[in-house]
Amino acid sequence: MKLMYINGEFTKGMSQGEIEVSNPATEEVLDTVPRGTAEDIESAVRSGNEAYKSWRKMGANERANLLHEVASKIKSHQKAIVHLLTLEEGKPISENEEEVEWVASTFDYYAELGRHDRGRVIPPGESSQFNFILKEPYGVVGCIVPWNYPLMLLAWKVAPALAAGNTVVIKPSEVTPLTALYLAEHCFDGLPAGVVNVVTGFGMETGEPLVRHADVPVIAFTGSLATGQRIASHAAPMMKKLHLELGGKDATVIAEDADPEIAAKAVAYAALLNAGQVCTSTERVYIPQTKAKQFTEAIVEHVKSLRLGPGLEETTDIGPMVGDTYREKIESHVADARTRGANVLTGGQRPKGFDKGWYYEPTVLAGVDHTMLIMREETFGPAVPLMEYTSFEQAVELVNDTKYGLGAVLLSEDPKKIKTFFEEVKAGTIWINDPLTDNYAGPFGGMKYSGGARELGIEGLDTFRETKHVHWDFNMEDKDYWYPYHR
Ligand code: NAD
């Protein structure tokens, strides 16, 4: 069993039993972690608060150096982390290499951003006065992380939170807690005790007590809409700062001018990366009616060429899904689409020849419409539903016809279409011709039901800083605008 990390020590804490962590490619149990409790959250928050007293006051250079040290330890342990991540999450090793590179770079990036500024000075109303804005840490930040990018989404919260002077209690997903504990043991060990704490457990038993804890002023959460809504209902009355990164139903629009072969590759990557289990996965594809045949054939041909297999095999393009319940969801969406008249052009079933593992064939569907679950609800699996449009304006309306607003993709080199797209589409990230590529300095997050949080960039640091305005008059003297009004 791997242990939780509280106040710089590995412990079973007050856990009640264990949680098994499985390999999605083999269904074998990899290891176990403690099934944490509210008491463990209590200890972790206490240790975070104690550590906060000195961490918030630490000199900017010293703190930056400690965060760079975390980054360099991640780089030196990269091979082992990638291996463990592939075992517990399932996606191909090359995708995990990229994730771990991102994690290290996020710590390097925020190490520097954290010492760049602490606010600003503004012009005073009178010459005897001095006005400035302080950006201050909040205290202990609760970081609740999902399983699909267990380390990257942890780093996008933890690195800026620490750089801003907060301490953290991390609640990793019960599906993928091993890599977070590995980081605690090998990469966070140089930080003062209590600055980073990791409590493993189920959402209701550890996540919820963290959300409801009176001494945790910020909750940074990435996960499903339903969990986000529940968290908001607890945290809002406590006036907590809520940072919610929720689900999506992203669309890709292929414009008439796009090359079919290139569009097919872009769409497959956008829809099937991490077996479609990316919050910004393309889950709806709109193709022009005039060229529907060419685009459809190119997409089907390319998707058929992709290799399904265990993440650890170099030849694998698409790994297993992370668990059986997630596979059942895509199965129900495909079944619903079929019932309502959609055609499955390739895939649509569990692959033959795999006795074990939560695999599902990459699936292309045509003849879909917005009455179907697969075009309305988050599928979070390897599906590529194709819907025809008759005009570009109609395509943009279809893209916006969702409660979510995380990202959107356009494949085109037509400047008028591009401008219309980025101006009219209601989504936090717009990708033109290069889907799903992030940028450290580019804020990432959603609109509408995808939650309004932003990670990365200066916005990602400001999430973890409170604004304080200091108004300072050098002279303590009677002011003519004080009482009495009739002097
Ligand atoms: P989830 O909501 O089931 O769980 C996320 C985390 O919340 C886990 O650690 C879980 O234990 C915890 N949790 C569950 N119930 C809780 C509660 N009542 N109180 C506090 N914590 C609780 O999501 P998941 O299945 O792990 O992840 C997939 C979802 O995450 C998808 O909907 C996906 O779109 C979303 N996601 C969003 C982004 C983004 O940046 N917007 C990125 C990745 C994933």
Side-chain angles (χ1 to χ4, degrees):
M1 177 161 73
K2 296 285 177 300
L3 300 178
M4 297 190 275
Y5 186 61
I6 300 176
N7 202 23
E9 289 185 354
F10 287 89
T11 172
K12 268 187 171 175
M14 304 292 284
S15 56
Q16 303 276 333
E18 302 175 24
I19 299 176
E20 291 182 342
V21 183
S22 301
N23 178 344
T26 61
E27 301 178 31
E28 281 162 8
V29 175
L30 288 168
D31 211 330
T32 61
V33 295
R35 180 172 172 177
T37 59
E39 285 83 2
D40 298 314
I41 290 293
E42 184 61 44
S43 319
V45 172
R46 207 177 314 120
S47 110
N49 260 322
E50 200 49 42
Y52 176 64
K53 290 178 191 160
S54 45
W55 182 254
R56 68 182 272 255
K57 292 194 172 154
M58 183 179 277
N61 292 346
E62 192 183 351
R63 196 153 62 209
N65 288 342
L66 284 173
L67 294 179
H68 281 307
E69 206 181 291
V70 171
S72 63
K73 285 182 176 177
I74 293 169
K75 287 175 213 163
S76 66
H77 283 266
Q78 175 164 14
K79 223 173 159 187
I81 302 172
V82 166
H83 185 79
L84 185 59
L85 190 54
T86 310
L87 289 179
E88 79 170 348
E89 202 275 338
K91 63 185 176 298
I93 203 154
S94 60
E95 293 180 22
N96 287 321
E97 279 164 358
E98 208 193 334
E99 176 168 356
V100 177
E101 278 164 25
W102 260 93
V103 175
S105 306
T106 302
F107 278 93
D108 276 332
Y109 175 73
Y110 279 111
E112 290 310 308
L113 211 57
R115 65 173 158 191
H116 181 70
D117 78 280
R118 234 199 107 190
R120 66 198 160 99
V121 177
I122 59 171
E126 301 290 339
S127 62
S128 67
Q129 296 171 350
F130 186 42
N131 290 64
F132 53 99
I133 313 299
L134 286 179
K135 298 283 184 88
E136 301 195 324
Y138 283 84
V140 179
V141 173
C143 301
I144 304 178
V145 184
W147 49 262
N148 64 338
Y149 286 89
L151 293 185
M152 193 173 81
L153 296 169
L154 177 154
W156 288 8
K157 296 166 185 53
V158 172
L162 297 186
N166 305 276
T167 56
V168 297
V169 174
I170 302 167
K171 210 303 276 170
S173 167
E174 56 276 23
V175 182
T176 53
L178 299 176
T179 40
L181 292 173
Y182 187 98
L183 285 200
E185 187 177 352
H186 300 282
C187 309
F188 295 143
D189 56 326
L191 300 172
V195 167
V196 171
N197 304 277
V198 184
V199 178
T200 54
F202 290 113
M204 290 299 285
E205 295 171 359
T206 48
E208 194 138 325
L210 184 60
V211 170
R212 300 172 81 125
H213 200 293
D215 296 332
V216 179
V218 187
I219 295 296
F221 167 79
T222 300
S224 61
L225 172 60
T227 309
Q229 286 170 323
R230 190 177 167 95
I231 288 175
S233 74
H234 293 309
M238 299 176 83
M239 301 302 149
K240 294 196 180 209
K241 170 80 185 274
L242 270 180
H243 170 101
L244 301 177
E245 290 282 11
L246 309 177
K249 191 71 195 170
D250 287 11
T252 286
V253 173
I254 305 179
E256 267 182 325
D257 66 291
D259 175 275
E261 245 86 278
I262 294 172
K265 288 190 166 181
V267 161
Y269 178 77
L272 303 174
L273 182 75
N274 194 4
Q277 302 168 119
V278 185
C279 52
T280 50
S281 287
T282 282
E283 296 216 348
R284 301 175 285 149
V285 181
Y286 299 103
I287 57 176
Q289 200 172 49
T290 46
K291 289 191 168 174
K293 194 166 176 294
Q294 290 99 303
F295 285 123
T296 304
E297 282 174 3
I299 290 169
V300 170
E301 194 182 330
H302 180 56
V303 169
K304 277 184 170 169
S305 75
L306 302 177
R307 291 188 211 182
L308 211 55
L312 284 178
E313 276 179 22
E314 298 275 341
T315 50
T316 293
D317 295 308
I318 302 172
M321 297 186 69
V322 81
D324 209 20
T325 47
Y326 300 93
R327 181 169 60 177
E328 283 166 7
K329 187 169 184 198
I330 184 173
E331 285 176 333
S332 72
H333 282 198
V334 171
D336 171 78
R338 275 189 164 125
T339 311
R340 291 169 192 272
N343 300 318
V344 173
L345 305 180
T346 182
Q349 59 186 2
R350 300 178 182 194
K352 301 202 168 57
F354 288 81
D355 296 340
K356 289 280 177 192
W358 296 301
Y359 292 95
Y360 191 77
E361 286 186 351
T363 300
V364 182
L365 302 102
V368 297
D369 62 45
H370 282 208
T371 65
M372 300 175 184
L373 288 175
I374 207 153
M375 295 299 273
R376 279 207 328 269
E377 301 296 328
E378 195 178 44
T379 306
F380 230 56
V384 192
L386 307 177
M387 180 169 172
E388 296 176 19
Y389 66 83
T390 50
S391 70
F392 192 70
E393 290 65 32
Q394 188 207 6
V396 169
E397 275 175 30
L398 288 167
V399 171
N400 282 330
D401 181 24
T402 168
K403 65 185 170 196
Y404 293 109
L406 201 49
V409 180
L410 173 64
L411 303 175
S412 175
E413 286 183 329
D414 178 336
K416 277 193 182 159
K417 290 197 169 91
I418 292 169
K419 184 168 181 289
T420 302
F421 195 80
F422 69 66
E423 282 181 350
E424 298 303 322
V425 169
K426 193 99 179 135
T429 306
I430 305 289
W431 285 285
I432 317 286
N433 299 328
D434 186 18
L436 274 54
T437 295
D438 295 317
N439 181 321
Y440 299 101
F444 173 90
M447 296 181 181
K448 305 197 280 187
Y449 277 74
S450 296
R454 291 294 179 275
E455 297 188 311
L456 300 179
I458 187 71
E459 291 85 351
L461 180 68
D462 272 340
T463 284
F464 301 106
R465 306 199 293 185
E466 283 198 279
T467 301
K468 183 184 277 175
H469 173 203
V470 180
H471 171 78
W472 174 7
D473 197 319
F474 303 125
N475 305 320
M476 199 173 77
E477 59 190 12
D478 189 11
K479 314 283 188 225
D480 60 7
Y481 43 86
W482 289 356
Y483 299 126
Y485 288 152
H486 300 285
R487 293 198 178 210

